[in-house]
Amino acid sequence: MTHTGRESPPDLSIIVPLFNEEDNVRPLYEAITTVMEDQGFHYELLLVDDGSRDRTFANARDIALQDTRLRVVRFRRNYGQTPAMAAGIDHARGRILVTMDGDLQNDPADIPRLLSKIDEGYDIAVGWRMKRKEKFLSRRFPSMVANRIIARVTGVPIRDNGCSLKAYRASIIKHVPLYNEMHRFIPAVSSVAGPQIVEVGVNDRKRLHGQSKYGLSRIYKVVLDLTTIKTLLNLIRHPMRLFGSSAGIAMMLALLILLPQLYTFLVTESFSLIQTSLALLLATLGIFLGFLGALCELIYRTGNLKLERVSLLSATIDNGISRPRIDKTEI
Amino acid sequence: MSQVELSVIIPVGERSENVVTLYSIYRDAVARAGLHYEFIFVIDGHYDEITQRLKTLKADGEPLTIINFSRPFGEATAISAGFQNAKAELIMTLPAYEQIIPDEIPALIQACQAPEVDMVTASRRRKDHWFNQLQARMFNRTLGRFADFPFTDTGCGVRVFRRQVMDEVEIYGDLHRFLPLLAWQQGFQIQEIKVDQAPSDMFLRLFRPGLYLRRALDLLIAIFLSKFNKRPLRFFGLVGATATTVGLLGLAVLIFQRLVLAQSLADRPALLLCALVLVLGVQLVAIGLVGETIIFTHAREIKEYKIREIIN
C-alpha cells in the first residue's frame, strides 16, 4: 500500500459526513479504496465524524492509523449534516472535491464518471439517482415534488437535490456560503458563482446498516429555506432593488392617499385625520425600507462574498496566453 | 516551584463575606483535591478593607494574586480578568460567599479531571425560601425549554473548567451567568453535579424590579443567540408574518364593510390600527432579511462547527 497523504496535496478529496455509522465505516473505506486504487487516483478520504455517540470515530481512527490517505475530522458534538459538509470542504486539500453519504447508499464506483465530467470542464457534477430504492409514497413522491419546486424557484433544473454524491471544482465550492441546512441546495446556492452544472446518473443502493435519518417533515423546512435562499440570491445580486422597489410602492401609496387630501384641504380647508395619518405612516415605511436597502449595500461591501471575485472562478478567460476552458453546453 | 495545576478565581463584588475566613475555608477544601493551586481575587470596585486583609494574607505567604479594578466592571469582566492572570490548565470559579457546602469542592475538581469532561457545574439541592426556589426554577426552566439547555442551575457560581473553555467563550456584561450555556453551544462537554446548598446561601432574595427586567432581557438574548443564531428570518419572519397577516385580515374586513355594508372608512381609527400592524410586520420581515444578508455574506468567516481533533 502506498502512503502519499502528506508529501503532495492530493488531486481529489472524497468527503463523507458520518453520524452514528459504526458498521458502515469499514465497508465504506474498503469500497472507496478499491475504486480509487483501480483508477490509480492520487486522493484523500476525509471522514467527518459529526459527534457520533457510537464507535464511528474509534473505527475510523483505527483505519486512519494504518492508511494516511484517510483523514478524520471529529466534531465536539453533533452539529448536523451541513456543518459536517462545510468542515469537510474547509479541510479538503484536493483540487476536486467529491461529497457522498456515509450510509453506503451512494456507490463509489460512480465517482470516476463524475470526475470525467469535471475534466470535461464542468464545475459541478451532480449525482442523479435514476432507480431509487425507497418507498414511493413516503420518500420518492415528496422528494419529486420538492425537487420540482426547488428547480422552479432557483432556476437550477436539477432532478435530484437530495443525492449527496456530487463532485465540485474546489475553487468554487470553497467560496460558496454553507450553513444552516443548505447542503440540499448547494447547486442553487453556488449559482452565485455561475458554475456549469451537469447531471450524472448514479446507482442507488439499499441501506445495509443503521437507520435512515430523514422523514416527511422536511418539506416544510425545505420550503422555508428555499424562500430565504431565493430572496438572498436576489438580494446579493441587486442589494438596492428589493428594498428600493418596496420602498417605492409604499411611497406611491402614500402619495395616492395624500394628494386628494391636500386638494380637499386647499379647497375646503378641512381634511381627514385618519387618511392623512395613514399616508404619513406609509411614507415612514417607505423611508425605513429605503434606508434598510442602503444598509444592505453596506453589509455586502464589508462581507467576504464578492460577486466580482466569485464570478471569475467559473469564467472562461481568453487573453491569448492561457487556453480557454473547453466549450461546454449548459444543462 | 512546581507547576500550578488549578487556578481559583474569586470575583469580589457587592455580596461578599469576611474574606479571611472565606479564604481559609476554600483553601482547605481546594487543598483536599491534591492539586497545586493558586487563588486569584478580583476586587470589582472600591473595597479597601478587603484588599488590605488579602494583602496581609499574601504577606503571610499564601498563594494569592489580587487584581484591583479602578471602578466596578461587573462579574463577567472580573472573571475574564482573573482568567487572563491564571497560570493553571484547570480553572475554578467560586463566589465571594458560600453558595455550596465546601466539602463538595474536591469532588467537583476531580470530576473535571476526567478526559472527556471540559466543564463541571454545581447544581444546588435547594433548601432555602420557596420564593428563591421559585424564581430560580422559572429562570432555569425557561432556559431549558427555549434554549434546549439540559442543566438545572445556571446561576450557581461554582464551576470548574479547562482553560480552553474560556479561550473560546467570550463573556461580558451579565453573561457570566450563561457561561455553561455558551460553552455548551461551543460543543464542550459539561457535567452537572448535585451538591448541598450552604446555609449562608439560604436567605430570601428580593430584587429591585429593574433587576428582574435585566434578567429577563439576559434570558431573551441567551435564547435568541442559541436558537436563531444563524437563522434570523425564522425569528423575525415568524413575528413579522403574523403581524402582516393580522393587518391584512383587518384591512380586508374594513374594505368588506365599506363596499358591502357601505360603512364609511375614512374616519375609522381601526383603519389606522390595521395599517400600523401591517407596517410593523413588513418592517420586521425586512429586518430579518437584513440579518440573513449579514450571515450570508459573512458565512465563510463564521464557522458553525467546533472540531475536537483531526487525525492525519
Side-chain angles (χ1 to χ4, degrees):
Chain A
M1 198 176 275
T2 49
H3 297 268
T4 44
R6 297 255 163 124
E7 299 82 35
S8 62
D11 298 327
L12 171 68
S13 301
I14 301 173
I15 298 160
V16 189
L18 296 174
F19 178 54
N20 292 346
E21 301 276 7
E22 54 181 2
D23 296 328
N24 284 329
V25 175
R26 187 162 281 276
L28 182 82
Y29 165 77
E30 277 161 5
I32 290 174
T33 311
T34 312
V35 174
M36 288 297 116
E37 284 181 351
D38 275 359
Q39 303 277 329
F41 281 122
H42 181 33
Y43 76 102
E44 65 174 357
L45 171 59
L46 241 159
L47 298 181
V48 184
D49 172 29
D50 186 13
S52 300
R53 283 180 294 272
D54 60 4
R55 290 191 46 80
T56 304
F57 174 73
N59 291 352
R61 185 190 48 206
D62 291 346
I63 306 171
L65 293 179
Q66 280 153 27
D67 185 354
T68 52
R69 290 171 303 184
L70 175 63
R71 297 168 70 208
V72 188
V73 175
R74 185 191 194 188
F75 279 178
R76 279 201 199 137
R77 66 170 166 93
N78 179 246
Y79 285 95
Q81 206 177 352
T82 305
M85 286 272 186
I89 290 166
D90 290 343
H91 287 87
R93 293 174 298 197
R95 210 165 35 78
I96 299 172
L97 313 187
V98 172
T99 58
M100 61 188 287
D101 272 337
D103 55 9
L104 288 170
Q105 273 178 293
N106 299 134
D107 187 355
D110 290 318
I111 295 177
R113 281 191 293 134
L114 292 174
L115 294 181
S116 71
K117 285 292 175 190
I118 302 282
D119 281 342
E120 273 175 37
Y122 289 100
D123 299 303
I124 301 180
V126 185
W128 166 33
R129 290 166 290 180
M130 290 192 295
K131 297 186 183 111
R132 291 183 65 175
K133 295 274 165 55
E134 294 159 330
K135 292 198 186 81
F136 180 78
L137 211 61
S138 65
R139 298 296 300 270
R140 272 159 56 201
F141 181 68
S143 115
M144 238 170 74
V145 174
N147 282 318
R148 284 278 166 78
I149 299 175
I150 295 173
R152 189 61 187 274
V153 173
T154 59
V156 182
I158 290 174
R159 277 163 288 195
D160 187 4
N161 281 281
C163 179
S164 298
L165 186 57
K166 297 186 177 88
Y168 307 91
R169 209 176 285 286
S171 53
I172 287 195
I173 191 65
K174 284 192 179 227
H175 281 91
V176 169
L178 198 55
Y179 58 95
N180 275 2
E181 277 149 48
M182 277 194 191
H183 66 270
R184 286 193 207 101
F185 310 111
I186 295 178
V189 179
S190 60
S191 73
V192 284
Q196 311 288 311
I197 303 174
V198 66
E199 279 186 296
V200 179
V202 297
N203 270 330
D204 186 38
R205 305 189 297 183
K206 248 201 159 66
R207 227 180 139 72
L208 292 177
H209 306 282
Q211 278 291 306
S212 175
K213 283 133 198 150
Y214 295 104
L216 247 177
S217 63
R218 57 184 168 161
I219 286 266
Y220 152 80
K221 277 187 179 172
V222 164
V223 169
L224 229 143
D225 286 347
L226 195 63
T227 323
T228 312
I229 289 171
K230 174 70 181 168
T231 317
L232 279 175
L233 289 176
N234 284 339
L235 210 60
I236 292 298
R237 282 184 199 129
H238 318 282
M240 219 29 211
R241 196 177 289 175
L242 178 73
F243 285 111
S245 54
S246 21
I249 293 171
M251 283 304 205
M252 291 283 283
L253 278 175
L255 277 182
L256 227 58
I257 302 169
L258 201 60
L259 284 180
Q261 284 300 312
L262 200 65
Y263 175 76
T264 331
F265 180 70
L266 288 179
V267 176
T268 65
E269 292 211 353
S270 76
F271 63 96
S272 155
L273 190 65
I274 301 279
Q275 284 192 28
T276 314
S277 324
L278 187 66
L280 291 180
L281 190 64
L282 284 170
T284 318
L285 177 67
I287 294 169
F288 179 81
L289 288 175
F291 275 90
L292 275 191
L295 185 61
C296 273
E297 289 275 0
L298 194 70
I299 292 167
Y300 174 72
R301 202 173 275 280
T302 57
N304 58 358
L305 181 84
K306 295 276 188 241
L307 289 188
E308 53 276 24
R309 204 168 64 204
V310 172
S311 62
L312 268 183
L313 296 174
S314 56
T316 49
I317 303 170
D318 188 1
N319 56 6
I321 304 163
S322 60
R323 196 167 56 92
R325 276 179 24 205
I326 307 159
D327 285 336
K328 54 221 157 175
T329 45
E330 270 192 77
I331 53 161
Chain B
M1 200 172 129
S2 66
Q3 187 78 31
V4 180
E5 292 161 306
L6 174 72
S7 297
V8 182
I9 300 170
I10 302 178
V12 182
E14 282 171 18
R15 189 176 155 196
S16 58
E17 287 168 9
N18 183 333
V19 280
V20 180
T21 40
L22 186 81
Y23 173 70
S24 69
I25 293 169
Y26 277 162
R27 184 197 53 199
D28 292 345
V30 167
R32 254 178 287 152
L35 294 178
H36 191 81
Y37 59 87
E38 62 165 353
F39 274 78
I40 300 166
F41 281 87
V42 187
I43 319 285
D44 187 22
H46 297 287
Y47 301 99
D48 294 336
E49 195 189 342
I50 294 176
T51 314
Q52 272 316 314
R53 284 186 181 164
L54 287 172
K55 279 189 176 152
T56 323
L57 279 176
K58 191 175 166 66
D60 291 344
E62 298 289 344
L64 284 186
T65 304
I66 307 161
I67 299 171
N68 245 313
F69 279 175
S70 56
R71 66 169 181 83
F73 277 96
E75 200 172 321
T77 317
I79 291 174
S80 298
F83 173 71
Q84 268 147 42
N85 288 280
K87 297 187 204 73
E89 188 53 39
L90 210 57
I91 314 282
M92 177 169 210
T93 61
L94 287 169
Y97 51 93
E98 279 182 75
Q99 224 173 15
I100 64 166
I101 301 279
D103 293 342
E104 310 268 15
I105 289 175
L108 294 174
I109 297 171
Q110 271 146 20
C112 200
Q113 289 174 282
E116 292 286 298
V117 178
D118 300 306
M119 182 179 221
V120 174
T121 59
S123 174
R124 289 163 286 180
R125 284 190 211 98
R126 301 191 76 126
K127 298 186 193 77
D128 51 347
H129 196 274
W130 64 269
F131 187 73
N132 282 358
Q133 296 199 24
L134 179 75
Q135 52 192 13
R137 192 170 302 157
M138 270 170 59
F139 187 81
N140 286 307
R141 284 274 167 86
T142 316
L143 210 56
R145 175 79 184 72
F146 293 104
D148 302 321
F149 184 61
F151 303 102
T152 54
D153 193 0
T154 327
C156 186
V158 183
R159 293 159 188 154
V160 192
F161 48 87
R162 290 173 195 280
R163 184 165 259 288
Q164 202 192 356
V165 173
M166 277 221 32
D167 275 336
E168 288 185 30
V169 179
E170 218 178 312
I171 54 169
Y172 52 87
D174 279 334
L175 281 182
H176 60 93
R177 212 173 296 283
F178 298 107
L179 182 60
L181 174 71
L182 297 171
W184 188 69
Q185 280 164 11
Q186 296 287 310
F188 288 109
Q189 300 296 313
I190 301 177
Q191 192 185 348
E192 187 178 70
I193 294 182
K194 290 266 176 212
V195 298
D196 281 325
Q197 194 176 16
S200 58
D201 191 42
M202 294 185 193
F203 61 92
L204 172 65
R205 266 162 242 147
L206 270 174
F207 302 114
R208 285 171 285 115
L211 205 67
Y212 284 109
L213 190 70
R214 247 168 59 193
R215 227 23 72 74
L217 276 178
D218 287 347
L219 206 52
L220 219 64
I221 288 169
I223 291 167
F224 179 74
L225 283 182
S226 63
K227 269 268 214 243
F228 303 102
N229 205 357
K230 299 283 175 350
R231 48 197 84 185
L233 200 59
R234 292 242 177 119
F235 179 70
F236 290 98
L238 190 73
V239 185
T242 316
T244 312
T245 318
V246 169
L248 281 176
L249 280 179
L251 281 181
V253 169
L254 288 179
I255 288 170
F256 175 79
Q257 287 178 339
R258 171 76 181 84
L259 294 180
V260 181
L261 309 176
Q263 289 182 4
S264 164
L265 189 66
D267 52 357
R268 293 184 65 181
L271 176 69
L272 208 55
L273 182 70
C274 291
L276 197 64
V277 175
L278 182 70
V279 165
L280 180 69
V282 174
Q283 287 182 341
L284 283 178
V285 173
I287 287 182
L289 269 177
V290 173
E292 289 282 346
T293 314
I294 294 177
I295 289 169
F296 193 70
T297 50
H298 292 75
R300 278 284 154 205
E301 294 161 14
I302 311 167
K303 293 266 169 282
E304 246 190 316
Y305 54 86
K306 288 284 170 187
I307 290 170
R308 188 199 295 273
E309 58 189 309
I310 300 179
I311 292 182
N312 287 344

